[in-house]
Amino acid sequence: MGQVTWDGLFSNQAREIKPSPIRELLPYINKPGVISFAGGNPDPFIFPVAEFAGTSVVLGRRGMEILQYGATDGFESLKDFLAKWMAPRMGRATEPGEMLITTGSQQGMDLFCAALINPGDVIVIEDPTYPGAIHTMRNRGAQFVTVPCDADGMIVGLLPEKIEAAKKDGKTVKSIYTIVNFQNPSGAVLSADRRAKLLEVAEQYDLVVFEDDPYGHLRYEGEHEPTIFSMDETGRVVYACSFSKILAPGARVAWLVGPSELVRKMVLVKQGADICTSVVAQALVAQYCLEGHMDSFLPKILNHYSKKCASMAASFKEHLPPDAEYRVPKGGFFFWVRIPGVDSNELFKKGIERGVAFVNGEAFFANGGGEDYIRACFTFARPSDIDEGAKRLALAIADLKA
Ligand SMILES: Cc1ncc(COP(=O)(O)O)c(C=O)c1O
């Protein structure tokens, strides 16, 4: 009597919603003694704590403005800084109406879907891809056409046939979502030729491209590829980047640039979502940027993470069985490892027993697959733990193969 009947009350979306596979692993990963290669977390020991703490002077100077509600599209001095700082990558200084500051890139994706996706509409995604993108897009009712990846990223030559097949099925294809640099999880970089081809296909089928690029600044070797945004002459690309991996994810500040008609719609959706991204967070990040710390800090993290990447490469080479398949990434956060014949869900349990965590491959495939893959993040674990973690992983594999 008087009990709430949740089944009848929950929305269809809430009834269908699945937990984030990575967040669900946290209780296991956070067990004392477990070395975590799991979450895509930056190294907290490299956070610019003193520099960031110093930015709070801006509260004293501009507190009456900063502690007030802010513009939905973002804090002006942060937008101005980003328009200039990003101009070389964007191919030009973008206009204020093309930019939106978001509460993480995660919100950027959500607003993008809210503006474009009706339940049942199709987004073309990479196979594998970032589970957070699958989660958000699914929440908004998207269905997926998946395109496999190789060392050069999404195999865009397959796009026309995949899109045609979906259309034949009566689906409305709206967008292509691609993580262009040091893809999560595969580490691949979409080649310049493929970027051009992807844009060509998007034009042919009148699709909007979501170019997700949280790892693009984290290149440890080689030259940057041009952004798809900079190649686009038809105004159909949204480029999203974030302070999460290059400053601090706790700031929850990210930005996107895109066609002003679409950005305007996203602003309207954001008004109803959170009114504006925390002005306090934006103002501190803006102050940090204006004091010149982005340019001085980035080389430090590149140096720090490239060493960690090399150390995971050396440890994997030494300890993993010879049939383990992976490429050493040239940037980003992740190794994507195939261990033929091993079920990564079982391996995860063995890994926790042995004291090492990673993310099982299945989490990255929207329509199934990836059972013999794992994603290992090299940025978070202590440098001294990377080798021990690789040894434990090898032992867990051996346990399963025994
Ligand atoms: C590819 C990709 N996009 C977006 C995000 C979300 O980033 P943010 O912290 O800016 O919401 C992540 C986080 O790991 C990511 O890997």
Side-chain angles (χ1 to χ4, degrees), residues 40 103-106 109 130 177 179 184 212 214-215 242 244-245 249 252 254:
T103 305
S105 279
Q106 194 66 34
M109 274 176 232
Y130 167 54
Y177 169 79
I179 306 162
N184 181 1
D212 193 13
Y215 304 100
S242 173
S244 286
K245 314 293 177 176
R252 305 310 298 133

PDB file of all heavy atoms in Angstrom, residues 40 103-106 109 130 177 179 184 212 214-215 242 244-245 249 252 254, ligand 1:
ATOM      1  N   GLY A  40      39.525   6.327 -18.750  1.00  0.00           N
ATOM      2  CA  GLY A  40      40.364   7.238 -19.549  1.00  0.00           C
ATOM      3  C   GLY A  40      40.703   8.483 -18.746  1.00  0.00           C
ATOM      4  O   GLY A  40      40.389   9.599 -19.164  1.00  0.00           O
ATOM      5  N   THR A 103      29.239  21.725 -21.084  1.00  0.00           N
ATOM      6  CA  THR A 103      29.635  21.085 -19.828  1.00  0.00           C
ATOM      7  C   THR A 103      30.248  19.718 -20.190  1.00  0.00           C
ATOM      8  O   THR A 103      29.587  18.689 -20.152  1.00  0.00           O
ATOM      9  CB  THR A 103      28.404  20.980 -18.904  1.00  0.00           C
ATOM     10  OG1 THR A 103      27.862  22.300 -18.751  1.00  0.00           O
ATOM     11  CG2 THR A 103      28.772  20.441 -17.530  1.00  0.00           C
ATOM     12  N   GLY A 104      31.500  19.775 -20.628  1.00  0.00           N
ATOM     13  CA  GLY A 104      32.160  18.591 -21.184  1.00  0.00           C
ATOM     14  C   GLY A 104      31.702  18.362 -22.625  1.00  0.00           C
ATOM     15  O   GLY A 104      30.616  18.811 -23.023  1.00  0.00           O
ATOM     16  N   SER A 105      32.539  17.664 -23.388  1.00  0.00           N
ATOM     17  CA  SER A 105      32.138  17.305 -24.760  1.00  0.00           C
ATOM     18  C   SER A 105      30.958  16.355 -24.740  1.00  0.00           C
ATOM     19  O   SER A 105      30.206  16.245 -25.707  1.00  0.00           O
ATOM     20  CB  SER A 105      33.292  16.626 -25.500  1.00  0.00           C
ATOM     21  OG  SER A 105      34.173  17.588 -25.984  1.00  0.00           O
ATOM     22  N   GLN A 106      30.827  15.658 -23.615  1.00  0.00           N
ATOM     23  CA  GLN A 106      29.702  14.739 -23.461  1.00  0.00           C
ATOM     24  C   GLN A 106      28.385  15.507 -23.668  1.00  0.00           C
ATOM     25  O   GLN A 106      27.486  15.039 -24.361  1.00  0.00           O
ATOM     26  CB  GLN A 106      29.756  14.145 -22.054  1.00  0.00           C
ATOM     27  CG  GLN A 106      28.887  12.955 -21.825  1.00  0.00           C
ATOM     28  CD  GLN A 106      29.325  11.750 -22.636  1.00  0.00           C
ATOM     29  OE1 GLN A 106      30.511  11.532 -22.876  1.00  0.00           O
ATOM     30  NE2 GLN A 106      28.380  10.962 -23.075  1.00  0.00           N
ATOM     31  N   MET A 109      27.776  16.421 -27.377  1.00  0.00           N
ATOM     32  CA  MET A 109      27.175  15.323 -28.160  1.00  0.00           C
ATOM     33  C   MET A 109      25.678  15.238 -27.917  1.00  0.00           C
ATOM     34  O   MET A 109      24.893  15.010 -28.817  1.00  0.00           O
ATOM     35  CB  MET A 109      27.744  13.980 -27.693  1.00  0.00           C
ATOM     36  CG  MET A 109      28.998  13.593 -28.347  1.00  0.00           C
ATOM     37  SD  MET A 109      29.520  12.054 -27.538  1.00  0.00           S
ATOM     38  CE  MET A 109      31.144  12.548 -27.142  1.00  0.00           C
ATOM     39  N   TYR A 130      33.804   5.237 -28.705  1.00  0.00           N
ATOM     40  CA  TYR A 130      33.709   5.676 -27.306  1.00  0.00           C
ATOM     41  C   TYR A 130      32.332   5.308 -26.731  1.00  0.00           C
ATOM     42  O   TYR A 130      31.305   5.769 -27.250  1.00  0.00           O
ATOM     43  CB  TYR A 130      33.942   7.187 -27.300  1.00  0.00           C
ATOM     44  CG  TYR A 130      33.596   7.918 -26.035  1.00  0.00           C
ATOM     45  CD1 TYR A 130      34.115   7.529 -24.809  1.00  0.00           C
ATOM     46  CD2 TYR A 130      32.760   9.032 -26.074  1.00  0.00           C
ATOM     47  CE1 TYR A 130      33.794   8.228 -23.655  1.00  0.00           C
ATOM     48  CE2 TYR A 130      32.440   9.737 -24.919  1.00  0.00           C
ATOM     49  CZ  TYR A 130      32.959   9.319 -23.714  1.00  0.00           C
ATOM     50  OH  TYR A 130      32.644   9.999 -22.579  1.00  0.00           O
ATOM     51  N   TYR A 177      29.604  10.253 -36.951  1.00  0.00           N
ATOM     52  CA  TYR A 177      30.367  10.617 -35.756  1.00  0.00           C
ATOM     53  C   TYR A 177      31.735   9.960 -35.852  1.00  0.00           C
ATOM     54  O   TYR A 177      31.828   8.734 -36.030  1.00  0.00           O
ATOM     55  CB  TYR A 177      29.627  10.118 -34.502  1.00  0.00           C
ATOM     56  CG  TYR A 177      30.451  10.201 -33.231  1.00  0.00           C
ATOM     57  CD1 TYR A 177      30.615  11.412 -32.563  1.00  0.00           C
ATOM     58  CD2 TYR A 177      31.064   9.068 -32.695  1.00  0.00           C
ATOM     59  CE1 TYR A 177      31.363  11.500 -31.390  1.00  0.00           C
ATOM     60  CE2 TYR A 177      31.815   9.142 -31.527  1.00  0.00           C
ATOM     61  CZ  TYR A 177      31.957  10.362 -30.885  1.00  0.00           C
ATOM     62  OH  TYR A 177      32.711  10.436 -29.728  1.00  0.00           O
ATOM     63  N   ILE A 179      35.866   9.967 -34.220  1.00  0.00           N
ATOM     64  CA  ILE A 179      36.894  10.449 -33.280  1.00  0.00           C
ATOM     65  C   ILE A 179      38.181  10.439 -34.091  1.00  0.00           C
ATOM     66  O   ILE A 179      38.781   9.385 -34.320  1.00  0.00           O
ATOM     67  CB  ILE A 179      37.007   9.527 -32.047  1.00  0.00           C
ATOM     68  CG1 ILE A 179      35.632   9.368 -31.394  1.00  0.00           C
ATOM     69  CG2 ILE A 179      38.027  10.074 -31.048  1.00  0.00           C
ATOM     70  CD1 ILE A 179      35.511   8.185 -30.459  1.00  0.00           C
ATOM     71  N   ASN A 184      39.399   6.739 -29.450  1.00  0.00           N
ATOM     72  CA  ASN A 184      39.036   5.972 -28.265  1.00  0.00           C
ATOM     73  C   ASN A 184      38.085   4.880 -28.724  1.00  0.00           C
ATOM     74  O   ASN A 184      36.971   5.200 -29.144  1.00  0.00           O
ATOM     75  CB  ASN A 184      38.354   6.915 -27.254  1.00  0.00           C
ATOM     76  CG  ASN A 184      37.953   6.220 -25.979  1.00  0.00           C
ATOM     77  OD1 ASN A 184      38.184   5.037 -25.815  1.00  0.00           O
ATOM     78  ND2 ASN A 184      37.331   6.962 -25.077  1.00  0.00           N
ATOM     79  N   ASP A 212      34.837  14.588 -33.288  1.00  0.00           N
ATOM     80  CA  ASP A 212      35.114  14.607 -31.847  1.00  0.00           C
ATOM     81  C   ASP A 212      36.632  14.511 -31.655  1.00  0.00           C
ATOM     82  O   ASP A 212      37.249  13.546 -32.131  1.00  0.00           O
ATOM     83  CB  ASP A 212      34.390  13.411 -31.189  1.00  0.00           C
ATOM     84  CG  ASP A 212      34.347  13.527 -29.683  1.00  0.00           C
ATOM     85  OD1 ASP A 212      34.646  14.604 -29.147  1.00  0.00           O
ATOM     86  OD2 ASP A 212      33.994  12.522 -29.028  1.00  0.00           O
ATOM     87  N   PRO A 214      38.914  15.086 -28.555  1.00  0.00           N
ATOM     88  CA  PRO A 214      39.477  15.429 -27.238  1.00  0.00           C
ATOM     89  C   PRO A 214      40.958  15.099 -27.102  1.00  0.00           C
ATOM     90  O   PRO A 214      41.619  15.591 -26.194  1.00  0.00           O
ATOM     91  CB  PRO A 214      38.651  14.579 -26.261  1.00  0.00           C
ATOM     92  CG  PRO A 214      38.105  13.455 -27.062  1.00  0.00           C
ATOM     93  CD  PRO A 214      37.957  13.964 -28.470  1.00  0.00           C
ATOM     94  N   TYR A 215      41.483  14.253 -28.010  1.00  0.00           N
ATOM     95  CA  TYR A 215      42.886  13.811 -27.872  1.00  0.00           C
ATOM     96  C   TYR A 215      43.825  14.465 -28.890  1.00  0.00           C
ATOM     97  O   TYR A 215      45.012  14.158 -28.919  1.00  0.00           O
ATOM     98  CB  TYR A 215      42.967  12.272 -28.020  1.00  0.00           C
ATOM     99  CG  TYR A 215      42.068  11.562 -27.043  1.00  0.00           C
ATOM    100  CD1 TYR A 215      40.822  11.063 -27.432  1.00  0.00           C
ATOM    101  CD2 TYR A 215      42.428  11.452 -25.700  1.00  0.00           C
ATOM    102  CE1 TYR A 215      39.973  10.443 -26.526  1.00  0.00           C
ATOM    103  CE2 TYR A 215      41.590  10.845 -24.794  1.00  0.00           C
ATOM    104  CZ  TYR A 215      40.370  10.347 -25.201  1.00  0.00           C
ATOM    105  OH  TYR A 215      39.536   9.759 -24.289  1.00  0.00           O
ATOM    106  N   SER A 242      37.866  19.540 -25.870  1.00  0.00           N
ATOM    107  CA  SER A 242      37.561  19.598 -24.441  1.00  0.00           C
ATOM    108  C   SER A 242      38.814  19.925 -23.644  1.00  0.00           C
ATOM    109  O   SER A 242      39.937  19.597 -24.063  1.00  0.00           O
ATOM    110  CB  SER A 242      37.044  18.216 -24.017  1.00  0.00           C
ATOM    111  OG  SER A 242      36.882  18.154 -22.626  1.00  0.00           O
ATOM    112  N   SER A 244      39.155  18.495 -20.856  1.00  0.00           N
ATOM    113  CA  SER A 244      39.257  17.359 -19.940  1.00  0.00           C
ATOM    114  C   SER A 244      40.621  16.673 -19.984  1.00  0.00           C
ATOM    115  O   SER A 244      41.165  16.305 -18.952  1.00  0.00           O
ATOM    116  CB  SER A 244      38.173  16.331 -20.246  1.00  0.00           C
ATOM    117  OG  SER A 244      36.930  16.818 -19.807  1.00  0.00           O
ATOM    118  N   LYS A 245      41.158  16.450 -21.175  1.00  0.00           N
ATOM    119  CA  LYS A 245      42.398  15.665 -21.263  1.00  0.00           C
ATOM    120  C   LYS A 245      43.632  16.563 -21.305  1.00  0.00           C
ATOM    121  O   LYS A 245      44.744  16.079 -21.156  1.00  0.00           O
ATOM    122  CB  LYS A 245      42.378  14.767 -22.510  1.00  0.00           C
ATOM    123  CG  LYS A 245      41.084  13.996 -22.730  1.00  0.00           C
ATOM    124  CD  LYS A 245      40.803  12.928 -21.679  1.00  0.00           C
ATOM    125  CE  LYS A 245      39.450  12.275 -21.963  1.00  0.00           C
ATOM    126  NZ  LYS A 245      39.124  11.190 -21.072  1.00  0.00           N
ATOM    127  N   PRO A 249      39.574  17.150 -16.213  1.00  0.00           N
ATOM    128  CA  PRO A 249      38.177  16.788 -16.492  1.00  0.00           C
ATOM    129  C   PRO A 249      37.205  17.320 -15.443  1.00  0.00           C
ATOM    130  O   PRO A 249      36.035  17.532 -15.732  1.00  0.00           O
ATOM    131  CB  PRO A 249      38.182  15.254 -16.521  1.00  0.00           C
ATOM    132  CG  PRO A 249      39.434  14.844 -15.824  1.00  0.00           C
ATOM    133  CD  PRO A 249      40.408  15.972 -15.962  1.00  0.00           C
ATOM    134  N   ARG A 252      34.984  20.332 -16.199  1.00  0.00           N
ATOM    135  CA  ARG A 252      33.782  20.116 -17.023  1.00  0.00           C
ATOM    136  C   ARG A 252      33.565  21.284 -17.990  1.00  0.00           C
ATOM    137  O   ARG A 252      32.460  21.831 -18.098  1.00  0.00           O
ATOM    138  CB  ARG A 252      32.506  19.880 -16.179  1.00  0.00           C
ATOM    139  CG  ARG A 252      32.551  18.758 -15.156  1.00  0.00           C
ATOM    140  CD  ARG A 252      33.047  17.425 -15.695  1.00  0.00           C
ATOM    141  NE  ARG A 252      32.239  16.842 -16.757  1.00  0.00           N
ATOM    142  CZ  ARG A 252      32.781  16.344 -17.886  1.00  0.00           C
ATOM    143  NH1 ARG A 252      34.097  16.383 -18.104  1.00  0.00           N
ATOM    144  NH2 ARG A 252      32.012  15.821 -18.789  1.00  0.00           N
ATOM    145  N   ALA A 254      34.210  22.331 -22.028  1.00  0.00           N
ATOM    146  CA  ALA A 254      34.581  21.910 -23.381  1.00  0.00           C
ATOM    147  C   ALA A 254      33.984  22.920 -24.349  1.00  0.00           C
ATOM    148  O   ALA A 254      33.260  23.829 -23.936  1.00  0.00           O
ATOM    149  CB  ALA A 254      34.047  20.502 -23.650  1.00  0.00           C
TER     150      ALA A 254
HETATM  151  C1  LIG B   1      36.139  10.377 -27.589  1.00  0.00           C
HETATM  152  C2  LIG B   1      35.619  11.095 -26.401  1.00  0.00           C
HETATM  153  N1  LIG B   1      34.717  12.060 -26.572  1.00  0.00           N
HETATM  154  C3  LIG B   1      34.216  12.746 -25.536  1.00  0.00           C
HETATM  155  C4  LIG B   1      34.609  12.473 -24.245  1.00  0.00           C
HETATM  156  C5  LIG B   1      33.965  13.231 -23.113  1.00  0.00           C
HETATM  157  O1  LIG B   1      34.812  14.224 -22.666  1.00  0.00           O
HETATM  158  P1  LIG B   1      34.374  15.353 -21.639  1.00  0.00           P
HETATM  159  O2  LIG B   1      35.101  15.076 -20.371  1.00  0.00           O
HETATM  160  O3  LIG B   1      34.800  16.637 -22.296  1.00  0.00           O
HETATM  161  O4  LIG B   1      32.891  15.297 -21.476  1.00  0.00           O
HETATM  162  C6  LIG B   1      35.557  11.473 -24.020  1.00  0.00           C
HETATM  163  C7  LIG B   1      35.980  11.152 -22.652  1.00  0.00           C
HETATM  164  O5  LIG B   1      36.704  10.238 -22.378  1.00  0.00           O
HETATM  165  C8  LIG B   1      36.082  10.778 -25.132  1.00  0.00           C
HETATM  166  O6  LIG B   1      36.996   9.811 -24.985  1.00  0.00           O
END
